[in-house]
């Protein structure tokens, strides 16, 4: 059987085709790939097991990572998100895993002149390396317990609160009530402020930072970046992004501003 014949396309990616071959995952290599692979190797060296392993570049020039077995809470055309992502235990598990991940990045030495993907308005530096896309679609669970984050293409240095605010946005979640009920199968409006406290306690967050303001800045940065890249013809920010994703981001930004 050829290498091509063994490929299984994985659902849910918005960053181009991602395929599984055996116990590996292949994805398009990009300018940030050397920095991302260095970070994944650092995780392995310090014993953090909540990320895939870096396996270099394959014969087709694709980035190669180890496959992390488990389930992600992604909604696709063929399945709804699993119900346990609405539980307190899941939310607390994400908070603990994010804290472990941030702590594991301390001491990381990136390659010379690393290329990181950054949004317009994103902090240029910080005390940790942020994942920058912690949501149920990038959180692998086993036995309903969050065990790893995948899709590290947007990782970059930043302050912890940049990651925390985004994880709250996606996991509490800070979407309008009708989206939570009719799209994500919540029985009613989430108790967002209670769930926010649960997450922050699980993470061990004690800082006096206005996280809702950070959340606003994070969503606004996504809007500004996507709008600019759509105008420039970036393939990821295509007409579907403008017609579907952009209105959702504006909707969520207005909702967060009312909290």
């Amino acid at each position: 059987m050829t290498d091509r014949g063994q490929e299984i396309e994985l659902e849910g990616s918005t960053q181009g085709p991602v395929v599984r071959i055996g116990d590996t995952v292949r994805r398009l290599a990009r300018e940030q790939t050397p920095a991302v692979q260095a970070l994944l190797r650092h995780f392995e060296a310090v014993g953090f097991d909540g990320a895939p392993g870096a396996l270099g570049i394959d014969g087709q020039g694709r980035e190669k990572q180890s496959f992390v077995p488990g389930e992600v809470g992604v909604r696709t055309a063929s399945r709804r998100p699993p119900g346990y992502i609405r539980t307190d235990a899941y939310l607390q598990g994400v908070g603990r895993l994010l804290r472990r991940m941030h702590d594991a990045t301390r001491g990381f030495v990136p390659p010379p002149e690393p290329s990181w993907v950054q949004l317009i308005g994103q902090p240029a530096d910080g005390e940790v390396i942020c994942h920058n896309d912690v949501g149920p679609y990038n959180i692998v669970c086993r036995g309903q317990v969050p065990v790893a984050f995948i899709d590290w293409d947007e990782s970059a240095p930043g302050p912890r609160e940049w990651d925390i605010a985004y994880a709250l946005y996606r996991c509490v979640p800070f979407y309008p009530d009708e989206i939570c009920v009719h799209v994500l199968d919540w029985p009613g409006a989430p108790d967002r402020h209670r769930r926010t406290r649960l997450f922050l306690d699980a993470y061990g967050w004690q800082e006096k930072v206005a996280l809702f303001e950070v959340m606003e800045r994070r969503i606004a940065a996504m809007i500004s970046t996507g709008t600019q890249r759509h105008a420039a013809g970036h393939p990821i920010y295509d007409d579907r992004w403008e017609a579907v994703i952009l209105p959702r981001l504006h909707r969520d930004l207005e909702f967060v501003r009312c909290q």
Side-chain angles (χ1 to χ4, degrees):
M1 183 179 293
T2 65
D3 189 57
R4 185 71 180 174
Q6 299 172 23
E7 294 185 2
I8 302 171
E9 186 166 355
L10 301 178
E11 289 186 293
S13 173
T14 61
Q15 304 291 317
V18 179
V19 300
R20 177 182 177 184
I21 303 177
D23 292 330
T24 70
V25 172
R26 320 291 174 96
R27 56 191 304 133
L28 295 174
R30 298 179 172 88
E31 61 181 9
Q32 67 268 34
T33 296
V36 171
Q37 292 240 322
L39 176 62
L40 297 181
R41 288 193 294 270
H42 169 81
F43 283 148
E44 186 174 5
V46 299
F48 175 68
D49 58 359
L55 301 174
I57 305 297
D58 74 5
Q60 297 183 38
R62 298 175 297 188
E63 182 184 9
K64 186 177 176 183
Q65 298 178 1
S66 61
F67 175 75
V68 181
E71 180 180 41
V72 294
V74 66
R75 177 187 174 93
T76 68
S78 60
R79 66 188 288 267
R80 300 186 73 83
Y84 61 78
I85 70 170
R86 300 189 294 271
T87 66
D88 291 350
Y90 172 85
L91 188 67
Q92 292 168 308
V94 176
R96 287 190 290 267
L97 181 61
L98 186 61
R99 178 59 185 260
R100 287 180 53 222
M101 185 274 284
H102 283 162
D103 289 350
T105 68
R106 302 300 297 268
F108 169 63
V109 178
E113 300 183 2
S115 286
W116 302 106
V117 172
Q118 292 188 305
L119 303 174
I120 296 172
Q122 178 173 333
D125 204 354
E127 69 272 21
V128 299
I129 304 296
C130 292
H131 179 281
N132 283 322
D133 199 11
V134 172
Y137 43 85
N138 282 332
I139 301 168
V140 178
C141 292
R142 289 195 287 271
Q144 303 186 7
V145 176
V147 296
F149 299 132
I150 57 174
D151 192 356
W152 291 82
D153 276 0
E154 297 181 23
S155 58
R160 292 174 187 260
E161 60 263 26
W162 192 249
D163 247 0
I164 290 171
Y166 188 79
L168 291 172
Y169 164 47
R170 293 298 191 186
C171 297
V172 167
F174 281 92
Y175 305 143
D177 293 348
E178 61 270 20
I179 301 302
C180 293
V181 173
H182 298 299
V183 178
L184 301 179
D185 300 334
W186 280 80
D191 187 343
R192 296 180 182 86
H193 289 270
R194 183 188 68 83
R195 285 174 58 79
T196 295
R197 189 71 261 161
L198 284 174
F199 182 97
L200 296 179
D201 287 346
Y203 182 94
W205 182 252
Q206 310 254 335
E207 304 299 318
K208 301 295 184 183
V209 175
L211 289 172
F212 287 150
E213 293 180 10
V214 179
M215 196 184 302
E216 286 185 39
R217 287 196 289 119
R218 179 64 168 81
I219 299 172
M222 295 166 68
I223 292 171
S224 298
T225 302
T227 300
Q228 183 183 90
R229 291 178 183 171
H230 173 75
H234 193 291
I236 293 176
Y237 297 92
D238 55 12
D239 290 342
R240 180 186 178 278
W241 183 88
E242 183 181 47
V244 178
I245 306 301
L246 181 58
R248 290 178 183 172
L249 292 174
H250 279 295
R251 174 203 70 196
D252 295 347
L253 181 57
E254 290 307 308
F255 181 79
V256 170
R257 283 175 172 163
C258 294
Q259 301 305 300

